[in-house]
Amino acid sequence: MREPYGLIGVFATPEAIQQAAAQLRRLGLHGVEAYTPYPVEGLGELLHPGRKLFLPILMFVAALCGAAWGYFIQYWDEALDYPLNVGGRPHNSWPAFMVSTFEFMLLVTVFAGFVGLLVASRLPQLYHPLFNADEFGRASRDGFVLCVEMRDPSFDLATVSRIFERCGAERIEEVTA
Amino acid sequence: MSLPGELPADEPIVAPAVTMSSLSFEVSSRVLRPGAPRWWWIGFGFSFALFILLVIQLAWLFIFGIGVWGVNIPVAWGFAISEYVWWIALASGGTIISALFHITRQPWRAATNRIAETMLLSAIPCAGLMPIMHLGRQGLFYWLFPYSSVMGVWPQVRSPLWWDFICLFCYILMSIMYYYTGLLSDLATVRDLARSRFKQIFYGVLALGWRGSSREWRNHKIVYAIMSAIMAPMVISVHSVVGLDFAGGLTTGWHDTQFPPYFFFGAVISGTAVIVMLTIIVRWGYRLQDVITQYHLNAMAKVVLVGSLLLAYAYLWEAFGSIYSSDIAEYTEYMHRMFGFTAAGFWAEKALVVIIPQLLWLPAVRRNQTMLFLISGGIIVGMWIERYVFTTASLEHNYMPSYWGLFYPTFWDWAALAGTIGLFLTMFFVLIRLVPIVSMAEVRDIIEKKKRGEA
Amino acid sequence: MTNPARDYWRSLEELADSPDFAAVVEREVPRFRDVLDKFDRRQFLTLMAASMALAGLSGCGPEPNPQQRLPYVEAPPGVVPGRQRYYATAHTRDGYAEGVLLAHEMARPIKVEGNPDHPASLGAAGAITQASILSLYNPRRAQTVVGPGQISSWEGFVAALYRRREQLLKKRGEGLRLLTGTITSPSLGAQIAALQTAFPAMRWHQWEPLHRDNELAADQMAYGRPVARVFDLAAADVIFAVDSDLISAAPGWLAYARQFAARRRPDETGGKMSRVYAIESTPTLIGAKADHRLPMRPVEVAASVRFLAGAVGAGPSQWTEIQSPHRDWLKEAAADLTANKGHALVHAGREQSIEIHLLVELINAALGAHGNTVRLIEPPVVSPTLHLQSLSELVGDMQAGKVDTLLILDTNPAYSAPADIPFAAALKRVPFSVSLSLFADESALLATWQVPAKHEYEAWGDARAFDGTATIQQPQVRPLYGGHAPSEVLAVLQGNTQPDDLTLVRQFWQRQQGAGSAAEGNPQSLAGDAGGGQTGPQSSGSSQPALAAAEAFEAFWHEALRRGVVANTAAPPLTLTPKAGLAEGLRPLPLGGEAAIDLLFRPDEGLWDGRHAENPWLLELARTFTRLTWDNAALIAPATAKKHGVKTGDVVAIATRYGATKAPVFVLPGQAPDTATLWLGWGRQAGALAEGVGFDAYRLRGAAEPWLARATRFEKTGETYRLATTQGHDRVAGRDLIREFTLDRFNNDPEYVKQKSKDVSLYPGYIYPDRAWAMAIDLNSCIGCQACTIACQAENNVPTVGKDMVHFGRIMHWLRIDRYYSGSPDDPDVAFEPMPCMHCENAPCEVVCPVHATVHDHEGLNLMVYNRCVGTRFCSNNCPYKVRRFNFYDFAAATERPPESWNPDVSVRGRGVMEKCTYCIQRIKVKEIEAERDGRKLRDGEVVTACQQSCPTQAIVFGDRNDSHSHVARRKATPLDYVLLDDLNTRPRTSYAAIVHNPNPAIGKEQS
């Protein structure tokens, strides 16, 4: 048998979903997540409070590593592994190495950012219970979907749906996994 | 298509009629609708024909060697390299629009950046192909990768060519990642609207299961912002390094410290110009006048104007440096460029890139799509001529008078040009058929802001 | 090697040992398909295998037993891969010998080099001589004996000629004629003399299109006998050149060029220089080096020479009363000459009139040149003859049907005869004619018998140098394509049906040595020529060791072959004085009609009289002044071009009394107005490469005016023709490329002369502790002869590319000679500048190569790593000197030459690879290895680059710059030394010595 996953409410405006989210937070419910067609300001902070520094730090470290890697490749090549007299230039002609060092730095940073984004967002995740909901598709168009997971012991179907209705949910639906 | 420019002064960035849902349906339907419109087939067919020419050209080139081109000693670089610069400039334009104006928070960027980046992705292969084709031994281009390829020998990393190779390599990877990051949420939209099983799976996989949760959005925002902040200097560096290919050389007319910014200015103007042209086509073809409005074209026209002014400044410095410098070789070379074999090209290029674009000072011209289209086209041609002139003319009148020579392109030179244009358009037409051509998430944001009277 | 028919035919020929098989083949028409029909596949494969084996063999050097045909199972002692062995022989031009050494690798001759022991070479070798190695291997050489109407064989020919001989003997040789070029070969001379006695009625004719009839006629007038001259330029302080080929074509020019240059290097001669005046109608090398040069029409030249004669007292003094803008100039020149009596020299080129040659002789006599700067000697030529007369007599007899047997040995009158001497037509009337030639040329195709000749490097023979010194020519390789020597053909007439050139030559010299007691070691006496009988001073010495004659001869023979020179064979000097009253006897000059164009016929620098027309190196050699390749043209002065409204590339119709042709115009600064120079030797009707290349100037040339013809028509046709030149721009365009000073500036103000170089660099310079290879090129010495260009091409496997590619700007020469003009285009100063790689220490090319394909080695060589090159061509763009060459196509593979002819020490470059001058690194390495093996340091002058070696004037010096005593270091130490484009701070290793002029202060620049 398909056990339930959560309850979703579909709202028409960002204000509505923000209001609903705020009330649910006040209930202290966990497993509350909002799904919106575009980043609604404040919603993320509301549902996941606290400063999130993981990605910026990751990309900064990546930048340092990229630069170091970039310079080292060139230094190893020209000065250590196979030093040659090229046009009378010194083996370690660092000014000439700078450009590629820079490029390597940027490449590694962006790569780290891209991977970091997927990891932090738990992507790729091709199946998710929410996809079973009829109305969930609107979350990627014009609907603002709020979902409360039923795992939480303090979850009470009546309360949550009342909050949804009060905040003007156009539709409320139970989602099963 | 072209509604001449009698629009109200305060052109809306998005037509009032457009709502989030209409936007999503409109844009997605362009991708999901079965079959393609007639104009698309015509455009694609034409492009593909040219692409076939490229294939033939490549075969001919690889069988007989680059002797089939007009290159010689002293003019050892001909079309291939000047066109490489030209393509890179077009590509860079894409990043400039999408990255530079994202970090500067330009609202009009939202509706156009996807076109810009699609153009960028289509232009980069052409740019990448050129320098490989022009090698004497094309099969060995991979020796430029930083690994000890033959007898433990590494690439020579002092060479501007190597910097350039690395730049291009990084630029391609980064552009793809940047493009994809911006595309995720829109792929989700298409996935959710797709009806046919195949398309659901196709876009479902591409969307990686994006759901638009607030966590995803927050991460996305952070990463995308940083990426933009990186792509902006990246694109500047890319084209500056292309400039160093020449400035790093010890050749009359090339050995010039202003080349990096000079080249970047060229990228700004030619890149934006080509985006203007494509935008006008797509907007008309996909009936997206409500989403991509006069406002956008107007804004980009201004960018073109700025680019043209910057370039005019660079030209002045080039002329001053060459004529005022005590270096007789520089002087004779520039005289040759202005009044010699390449004179026609020299003046044509100045007219197309600097003089004519000044028309854009007039709002009427900026709003007249036909004019805009023609001027942009002229700029693209002009920039091609410019690259061609300074590449060959400098080599023609080098330091050694006994070895002055001239460059005459052959049929296969032109075939390479036409062929890469074919490759570019083919890729562009395929891409606009497969991916939503407007960044919906960002436009939704703008629509909502408008509702609340923020934008 | 493109045409398979030739290959297979050659294979069959080589296989044709067994007479029966030979017979089979010879019956067949030599075409691949027929061959296939003839044999089944298996047999065919056998043939192929055999042919391969033999082809591999074809290069075995002089073997002990020439009949032997076995591959090396064990290499003979001394044959070491990578180690070169040298064999001496001689290359002849116009019959005069230039001693050469052929470098053999794995017993294959791969390069021609000068023979230091030979007086006409002194170790140098001209462009044509160097290129002869390619003619040797040329797969398009004649390879089949063709009899009347069908393919025949040597045996068949011998049989036919022998039958002929029987009949001729009956009529004492009536109707038997011999036609040869100029012959200096004593043995051949003796053979002909012997024939003459066997066939008293036989007549010997000579035809050399570049004959020296006028000189001979003048000598006949002056001395009543033929003489030859040897000049001593070392003793000449003042040289007056009248359209002179002294350092470009005259017999012995290599030696003269060396003496000449030795007097033009003030930094080595303590600030002293010779002074050179030149009057000429078309630019010559000596004219380009002259301190004072006047371009003038031939009529003016004649007048000027008369003026000179009058001024120095060699002619009536009223000759000095001429109306000429150049009068003062001539007066000063004459004064200068008289002031240097005994140290002055006047020389007129072969093309000048009898009168001018006569006057020049008289002037020299008056200047006391004889015995000082000019030595008269017994002519080395066997029976000097007036060729034009000789040929016209022959043709007359042929038309009259008096000739029934004609042997044409190594000359091609059907092509080169004057237009009004219808040799070709007359030849058809000769029932039995034989043409012995290297290629199936025009004459061969018309003759009833065409017999392939042996190349000089395949045959035994001998020849004399300009001073009479004899050389015994030994074959360097078994005949590649069959072929036979002239001596063998003549031997058949003498009744020898198994002739063998080795025996013939050997026997002759045996007789010489045998007769040594009569006329010791001086073959002159037995050469059977006009000057027979006299004995030289050197023969009075006891040159014969007291040994048994046979041993003595063996010793002599080996020594002669080893050194490439037969000792004590230099012609004895003559002490003669010209008859009196000759000048007075001369008729007054005809007035030079205006407006009409004077056509000047000149030998082509590369194709010579046309005999080298199949040689791609020479076809592609950019001519000294025009930088023109693959074509000849009508060279006219800028003024003349303006007058006729033509420019370079316009086609004009030219006609003389004798014929007409069309020719493209080339506007040549320094050409005399109203004259057009036409190079002979082009526009061949027979041949593969040369056929229809350029236009045939012989069609305009008449017997009466062999060198100078009045054009009856010279009109623009409106057509244009594409000429492929290699130089983009004629002037230095403000660059500091050519530095010139006057002699007193050099002597009085060395500081001014010195190049001010600001040697600044951001980086610390590299240190080259042990050796630093460097090159110094003396522009004073360089006469622009381009021997170095061909030497480099031969040494370094530089491919030819063809006219279209040259036109595209893809010529491959590693070493080019730039030619720059300064001054007015009517009479410019000319400067030559050889351009090898500069081997910059801060090489711009290396920095921009992304794959380390060009880098420096520890001795400062700028290396080019072909295998690593991917062909970005950035290095070429970045080379300010433009010395890098790129293989846009697979040029080497397209070059038509057998694999065994390439230099195995130098890799042959493939498609898409950059290449350039390497300072002959292969030669450096060989010497380094030798030195290492012997555990010693390299000696200065041990490593010699190909260009340096071939240079007649020793303009190029190469060596270790770090060794302060080395020649190159000393050259670089002079204040004249400078590097090109110094301000780019590339620090070139190749430096140049500035040009120093020695003008006559009495002559204002505006006149000279």
Side-chain angles (χ1 to χ4, degrees), chain B residues 62-63 67 69 71-72 76-77 134 136-137 149 154 156 159 245 250 398-399 402, chain C residues 728 735 808 810 818 847-850 852 867-874 878 911:
Chain B
F62 293 164
I63 293 169
W69 287 347
V71 281
N72 57 41
W77 284 3
H134 114 292
R137 303 202 289 174
S149 47
W154 291 76
Q156 204 281 99
S159 167
D245 281 349
L250 182 62
N398 49 59
Y399 279 107
S402 67
Chain C
R735 278 83 158 152
F808 252 124
R810 296 172 180 179
D818 286 345
V847 186
V848 296
C849 174
H852 277 133
N867 292 351
R868 178 67 172 166
C869 178
V870 297
T872 68
R873 305 192 292 294
F874 200 171
N878 226 34
R911 189 183 96 190

Short mmCIF file of all heavy atoms in Angstrom, two decimals, chain B residues 62-63 67 69 71-72 76-77 134 136-137 149 154 156 159 245 250 398-399 402, chain C residues 728 735 808 810 818 847-850 852 867-874 878 911:
data_model
loop_
_atom_site.label_atom_id
_atom_site.label_comp_id
_atom_site.label_asym_id
_atom_site.label_seq_id
_atom_site.Cartn_x
_atom_site.Cartn_y
_atom_site.Cartn_z
N PHE B 62 41.96 18.41 -45.46
CA PHE B 62 42.75 17.35 -44.82
C PHE B 62 43.45 16.49 -45.86
O PHE B 62 44.53 15.98 -45.62
CB PHE B 62 41.83 16.48 -43.93
CG PHE B 62 41.29 17.23 -42.74
CD1 PHE B 62 40.22 16.74 -42.02
CD2 PHE B 62 41.86 18.44 -42.36
CE1 PHE B 62 39.72 17.44 -40.93
CE2 PHE B 62 41.38 19.14 -41.27
CZ PHE B 62 40.31 18.64 -40.56
N ILE B 63 42.84 16.36 -47.04
CA ILE B 63 43.48 15.52 -48.06
C ILE B 63 44.69 16.22 -48.65
O ILE B 63 45.77 15.64 -48.76
CB ILE B 63 42.46 15.16 -49.16
CG1 ILE B 63 41.37 14.25 -48.59
CG2 ILE B 63 43.16 14.49 -50.33
CD1 ILE B 63 40.19 14.06 -49.51
N GLY B 67 47.78 24.06 -48.17
CA GLY B 67 48.16 24.76 -49.39
C GLY B 67 46.94 25.17 -50.21
O GLY B 67 47.04 26.05 -51.06
N TRP B 69 44.59 26.80 -49.25
CA TRP B 69 44.24 28.17 -48.89
C TRP B 69 45.24 29.14 -49.50
O TRP B 69 46.27 28.74 -50.04
CB TRP B 69 44.21 28.33 -47.38
CG TRP B 69 43.03 27.69 -46.73
CD1 TRP B 69 41.90 27.24 -47.35
CD2 TRP B 69 42.86 27.43 -45.33
NE1 TRP B 69 41.05 26.71 -46.42
CE2 TRP B 69 41.60 26.82 -45.18
CE3 TRP B 69 43.63 27.67 -44.20
CZ2 TRP B 69 41.10 26.45 -43.93
CZ3 TRP B 69 43.14 27.29 -42.96
CH2 TRP B 69 41.88 26.68 -42.84
N VAL B 71 47.14 31.17 -47.91
CA VAL B 71 48.22 31.57 -47.01
C VAL B 71 49.58 31.29 -47.65
O VAL B 71 49.71 30.38 -48.46
CB VAL B 71 48.13 30.82 -45.66
CG1 VAL B 71 47.09 31.45 -44.78
CG2 VAL B 71 47.84 29.36 -45.89
N ASN B 72 50.56 32.06 -47.29
CA ASN B 72 51.90 31.91 -47.86
C ASN B 72 52.92 32.46 -46.85
O ASN B 72 52.58 32.78 -45.72
CB ASN B 72 51.97 32.68 -49.18
CG ASN B 72 51.62 34.15 -49.02
OD1 ASN B 72 52.02 34.79 -48.04
ND2 ASN B 72 50.84 34.68 -49.93
N ALA B 76 51.43 34.14 -43.37
CA ALA B 76 51.21 32.75 -42.97
C ALA B 76 49.87 32.58 -42.26
O ALA B 76 49.42 31.46 -42.05
CB ALA B 76 52.35 32.28 -42.07
N TRP B 77 49.27 33.66 -41.84
CA TRP B 77 47.94 33.60 -41.24
C TRP B 77 46.98 34.33 -42.14
O TRP B 77 47.19 35.49 -42.48
CB TRP B 77 47.93 34.25 -39.86
CG TRP B 77 48.55 33.41 -38.79
CD1 TRP B 77 49.15 32.19 -38.93
CD2 TRP B 77 48.66 33.74 -37.40
NE1 TRP B 77 49.61 31.74 -37.72
CE2 TRP B 77 49.31 32.67 -36.77
CE3 TRP B 77 48.25 34.82 -36.64
CZ2 TRP B 77 49.59 32.67 -35.40
CZ3 TRP B 77 48.51 34.82 -35.28
CH2 TRP B 77 49.17 33.74 -34.67
N HIS B 134 43.55 25.45 -39.30
CA HIS B 134 44.65 26.20 -39.91
C HIS B 134 46.01 25.58 -39.58
O HIS B 134 47.02 26.00 -40.12
CB HIS B 134 44.59 27.66 -39.46
CG HIS B 134 45.72 28.11 -38.61
ND1 HIS B 134 45.90 27.63 -37.34
CD2 HIS B 134 46.74 28.96 -38.84
CE1 HIS B 134 46.98 28.18 -36.84
NE2 HIS B 134 47.52 28.98 -37.71
N GLY B 136 49.17 23.14 -39.71
CA GLY B 136 49.76 22.39 -40.82
C GLY B 136 49.46 20.90 -40.67
O GLY B 136 49.20 20.20 -41.63
N ARG B 137 49.49 20.43 -39.44
CA ARG B 137 49.19 19.02 -39.17
C ARG B 137 48.03 18.98 -38.19
O ARG B 137 48.21 18.84 -36.97
CB ARG B 137 50.42 18.31 -38.62
CG ARG B 137 51.61 18.41 -39.56
CD ARG B 137 52.64 17.34 -39.33
NE ARG B 137 53.40 17.50 -38.09
CZ ARG B 137 54.26 16.60 -37.65
NH1 ARG B 137 54.44 15.48 -38.33
NH2 ARG B 137 54.93 16.82 -36.55
N SER B 149 53.47 15.01 -24.20
CA SER B 149 52.87 14.18 -25.25
C SER B 149 53.92 13.34 -25.97
O SER B 149 53.82 12.13 -26.03
CB SER B 149 52.17 15.09 -26.25
OG SER B 149 53.02 16.16 -26.60
N TRP B 154 56.58 18.84 -23.18
CA TRP B 154 55.35 19.53 -22.80
C TRP B 154 55.07 20.65 -23.80
O TRP B 154 55.93 21.00 -24.58
CB TRP B 154 55.51 20.14 -21.42
CG TRP B 154 55.58 19.16 -20.30
CD1 TRP B 154 56.65 18.38 -19.97
CD2 TRP B 154 54.56 18.86 -19.36
NE1 TRP B 154 56.35 17.62 -18.87
CE2 TRP B 154 55.06 17.90 -18.48
CE3 TRP B 154 53.25 19.32 -19.18
CZ2 TRP B 154 54.33 17.38 -17.43
CZ3 TRP B 154 52.51 18.81 -18.13
CH2 TRP B 154 53.05 17.83 -17.27
N GLN B 156 54.69 24.55 -24.89
CA GLN B 156 55.53 25.70 -24.58
C GLN B 156 54.60 26.79 -24.06
O GLN B 156 53.95 27.47 -24.85
CB GLN B 156 56.27 26.13 -25.84
CG GLN B 156 57.54 26.88 -25.60
CD GLN B 156 57.30 28.32 -25.23
OE1 GLN B 156 57.33 28.69 -24.06
NE2 GLN B 156 57.02 29.13 -26.23
N SER B 159 53.90 30.68 -25.03
CA SER B 159 53.34 31.11 -26.30
C SER B 159 51.92 31.64 -26.13
O SER B 159 51.07 30.96 -25.55
CB SER B 159 53.30 29.95 -27.27
OG SER B 159 52.49 30.29 -28.38
N ASP B 245 47.46 37.12 -28.73
CA ASP B 245 48.00 36.33 -29.85
C ASP B 245 48.74 37.22 -30.81
O ASP B 245 49.73 36.82 -31.41
CB ASP B 245 46.85 35.66 -30.62
CG ASP B 245 46.36 34.43 -29.90
OD1 ASP B 245 47.05 34.02 -28.95
OD2 ASP B 245 45.30 33.90 -30.27
N LEU B 250 55.98 39.68 -32.52
CA LEU B 250 56.93 40.76 -32.84
C LEU B 250 56.70 41.18 -34.28
O LEU B 250 57.58 41.11 -35.11
CB LEU B 250 58.35 40.25 -32.65
CG LEU B 250 59.50 41.22 -32.88
CD1 LEU B 250 59.40 42.36 -31.90
CD2 LEU B 250 60.82 40.51 -32.74
N ASN B 398 55.93 43.49 -43.57
CA ASN B 398 56.64 43.16 -42.34
C ASN B 398 57.96 43.92 -42.29
O ASN B 398 58.21 44.84 -43.06
CB ASN B 398 56.88 41.65 -42.31
CG ASN B 398 57.48 41.18 -43.62
OD1 ASN B 398 58.54 41.65 -44.02
ND2 ASN B 398 56.78 40.31 -44.33
N TYR B 399 58.84 43.48 -41.40
CA TYR B 399 60.11 44.19 -41.22
C TYR B 399 61.02 44.07 -42.43
O TYR B 399 61.89 44.88 -42.65
CB TYR B 399 60.84 43.64 -39.99
CG TYR B 399 60.33 44.19 -38.69
CD1 TYR B 399 59.56 43.42 -37.83
CD2 TYR B 399 60.63 45.50 -38.31
CE1 TYR B 399 59.09 43.93 -36.64
CE2 TYR B 399 60.16 46.02 -37.13
CZ TYR B 399 59.39 45.24 -36.29
OH TYR B 399 58.93 45.75 -35.12
N SER B 402 62.30 42.91 -48.48
CA SER B 402 62.52 41.94 -49.55
C SER B 402 61.46 40.85 -49.48
O SER B 402 61.23 40.15 -50.45
CB SER B 402 63.90 41.31 -49.39
OG SER B 402 63.92 40.53 -48.20
N GLY C 728 59.77 40.86 -52.82
CA GLY C 728 58.58 41.69 -52.77
C GLY C 728 58.85 43.15 -53.06
O GLY C 728 58.08 43.82 -53.72
N ARG C 735 64.63 50.78 -43.41
CA ARG C 735 65.23 49.89 -42.40
C ARG C 735 66.75 49.97 -42.49
O ARG C 735 67.32 50.27 -43.53
CB ARG C 735 64.82 48.44 -42.63
CG ARG C 735 63.47 48.08 -42.08
CD ARG C 735 62.40 48.47 -43.03
NE ARG C 735 61.17 47.71 -42.81
CZ ARG C 735 59.97 48.20 -43.11
NH1 ARG C 735 59.85 49.42 -43.59
NH2 ARG C 735 58.90 47.46 -42.95
N PHE C 808 52.84 32.10 -55.53
CA PHE C 808 52.03 32.16 -54.31
C PHE C 808 52.86 32.62 -53.12
O PHE C 808 52.32 32.89 -52.05
CB PHE C 808 51.47 30.77 -53.98
CG PHE C 808 49.99 30.64 -54.22
CD1 PHE C 808 49.49 29.66 -55.04
CD2 PHE C 808 49.10 31.50 -53.61
CE1 PHE C 808 48.13 29.53 -55.26
CE2 PHE C 808 47.74 31.39 -53.81
CZ PHE C 808 47.26 30.40 -54.64
N ARG C 810 55.61 30.65 -51.93
CA ARG C 810 55.89 29.44 -51.14
C ARG C 810 57.21 28.81 -51.52
O ARG C 810 57.40 27.60 -51.36
CB ARG C 810 54.75 28.44 -51.32
CG ARG C 810 53.43 28.96 -50.77
CD ARG C 810 52.30 28.05 -51.14
NE ARG C 810 51.03 28.56 -50.59
CZ ARG C 810 49.87 27.98 -50.78
NH1 ARG C 810 49.80 26.88 -51.50
NH2 ARG C 810 48.77 28.49 -50.27
N ASP C 818 69.00 38.55 -50.91
CA ASP C 818 68.20 39.74 -51.16
C ASP C 818 69.01 40.72 -51.98
O ASP C 818 70.22 40.84 -51.81
CB ASP C 818 67.79 40.39 -49.83
CG ASP C 818 66.70 39.58 -49.15
OD1 ASP C 818 66.10 38.73 -49.84
OD2 ASP C 818 66.47 39.78 -47.95
N VAL C 847 59.64 31.77 -28.82
CA VAL C 847 58.73 32.14 -27.74
C VAL C 847 57.28 31.88 -28.12
O VAL C 847 56.45 31.59 -27.26
CB VAL C 847 58.93 33.63 -27.39
CG1 VAL C 847 58.11 33.98 -26.18
CG2 VAL C 847 60.38 33.92 -27.17
N VAL C 848 56.97 31.96 -29.39
CA VAL C 848 55.56 31.85 -29.77
C VAL C 848 55.16 30.45 -30.21
O VAL C 848 54.01 30.21 -30.52
CB VAL C 848 55.23 32.84 -30.90
CG1 VAL C 848 55.41 34.26 -30.42
CG2 VAL C 848 56.06 32.55 -32.12
N CYS C 849 56.12 29.53 -30.24
CA CYS C 849 55.74 28.17 -30.62
C CYS C 849 55.08 27.49 -29.44
O CYS C 849 55.67 27.39 -28.37
CB CYS C 849 56.96 27.36 -31.05
SG CYS C 849 56.53 25.63 -31.34
N PRO C 850 53.86 27.01 -29.57
CA PRO C 850 53.15 26.44 -28.43
C PRO C 850 53.56 25.01 -28.10
O PRO C 850 53.07 24.45 -27.12
CB PRO C 850 51.69 26.48 -28.87
CG PRO C 850 51.74 26.39 -30.34
CD PRO C 850 53.01 27.06 -30.77
N HIS C 852 57.03 23.70 -28.27
CA HIS C 852 58.47 23.46 -28.16
C HIS C 852 59.06 22.87 -29.43
O HIS C 852 59.98 22.06 -29.38
CB HIS C 852 58.77 22.49 -27.01
CG HIS C 852 58.84 23.15 -25.67
ND1 HIS C 852 58.19 22.64 -24.58
CD2 HIS C 852 59.47 24.26 -25.25
CE1 HIS C 852 58.42 23.41 -23.53
NE2 HIS C 852 59.19 24.40 -23.92
N ASN C 867 59.61 16.84 -36.17
CA ASN C 867 58.63 15.87 -35.67
C ASN C 867 57.64 16.50 -34.72
O ASN C 867 56.53 16.03 -34.56
CB ASN C 867 59.35 14.73 -34.95
CG ASN C 867 60.14 13.90 -35.92
OD1 ASN C 867 60.01 14.08 -37.12
ND2 ASN C 867 60.98 13.03 -35.40
N ARG C 868 58.07 17.55 -34.05
CA ARG C 868 57.23 18.13 -33.01
C ARG C 868 56.34 19.23 -33.58
O ARG C 868 55.38 19.64 -32.95
CB ARG C 868 58.14 18.68 -31.91
CG ARG C 868 57.43 19.36 -30.76
CD ARG C 868 56.59 18.40 -29.93
NE ARG C 868 56.07 19.06 -28.73
CZ ARG C 868 55.10 18.55 -27.97
NH1 ARG C 868 54.57 17.39 -28.29
NH2 ARG C 868 54.68 19.20 -26.90
N CYS C 869 56.66 19.70 -34.78
CA CYS C 869 55.95 20.86 -35.32
C CYS C 869 54.52 20.49 -35.69
O CYS C 869 54.28 19.47 -36.33
CB CYS C 869 56.68 21.37 -36.56
SG CYS C 869 55.87 22.76 -37.35
N VAL C 870 53.58 21.31 -35.25
CA VAL C 870 52.19 21.08 -35.65
C VAL C 870 51.76 22.08 -36.72
O VAL C 870 50.67 21.98 -37.26
CB VAL C 870 51.22 21.17 -34.45
CG1 VAL C 870 51.54 20.09 -33.44
CG2 VAL C 870 51.28 22.55 -33.81
N GLY C 871 52.59 23.07 -36.98
CA GLY C 871 52.31 23.95 -38.11
C GLY C 871 51.40 25.12 -37.80
O GLY C 871 50.52 25.44 -38.58
N THR C 872 51.64 25.79 -36.65
CA THR C 872 50.84 26.99 -36.40
C THR C 872 51.31 28.17 -37.24
O THR C 872 50.60 29.14 -37.42
CB THR C 872 50.94 27.42 -34.92
OG1 THR C 872 52.27 27.86 -34.69
CG2 THR C 872 50.61 26.28 -34.00
N ARG C 873 52.59 28.12 -37.68
CA ARG C 873 53.19 29.16 -38.52
C ARG C 873 53.34 30.50 -37.79
O ARG C 873 53.67 31.50 -38.40
CB ARG C 873 52.39 29.36 -39.80
CG ARG C 873 52.20 28.08 -40.57
CD ARG C 873 51.69 28.32 -41.94
NE ARG C 873 50.32 28.84 -41.98
CZ ARG C 873 49.27 28.15 -41.59
NH1 ARG C 873 49.43 26.95 -41.10
NH2 ARG C 873 48.06 28.67 -41.67
N PHE C 874 53.11 30.50 -36.48
CA PHE C 874 53.32 31.74 -35.73
C PHE C 874 54.80 32.11 -35.78
O PHE C 874 55.16 33.28 -35.87
CB PHE C 874 52.85 31.55 -34.28
CG PHE C 874 52.57 32.85 -33.55
CD1 PHE C 874 51.98 32.83 -32.29
CD2 PHE C 874 52.88 34.07 -34.11
CE1 PHE C 874 51.70 34.00 -31.61
CE2 PHE C 874 52.60 35.26 -33.44
CZ PHE C 874 52.01 35.22 -32.19
N ASN C 878 56.43 35.68 -36.72
CA ASN C 878 57.19 36.40 -35.70
C ASN C 878 58.65 36.57 -36.09
O ASN C 878 59.40 37.21 -35.36
CB ASN C 878 57.09 35.66 -34.37
CG ASN C 878 56.80 36.62 -33.24
OD1 ASN C 878 56.09 37.59 -33.45
ND2 ASN C 878 57.34 36.35 -32.07
N ARG C 911 54.55 17.17 -45.11
CA ARG C 911 53.56 18.23 -45.27
C ARG C 911 53.24 18.89 -43.92
O ARG C 911 53.22 18.22 -42.90
CB ARG C 911 52.28 17.64 -45.85
CG ARG C 911 51.25 18.66 -46.26
CD ARG C 911 50.00 17.98 -46.75
NE ARG C 911 49.00 17.90 -45.68
CZ ARG C 911 47.89 17.19 -45.77
NH1 ARG C 911 47.66 16.47 -46.85
NH2 ARG C 911 47.03 17.15 -44.78
#
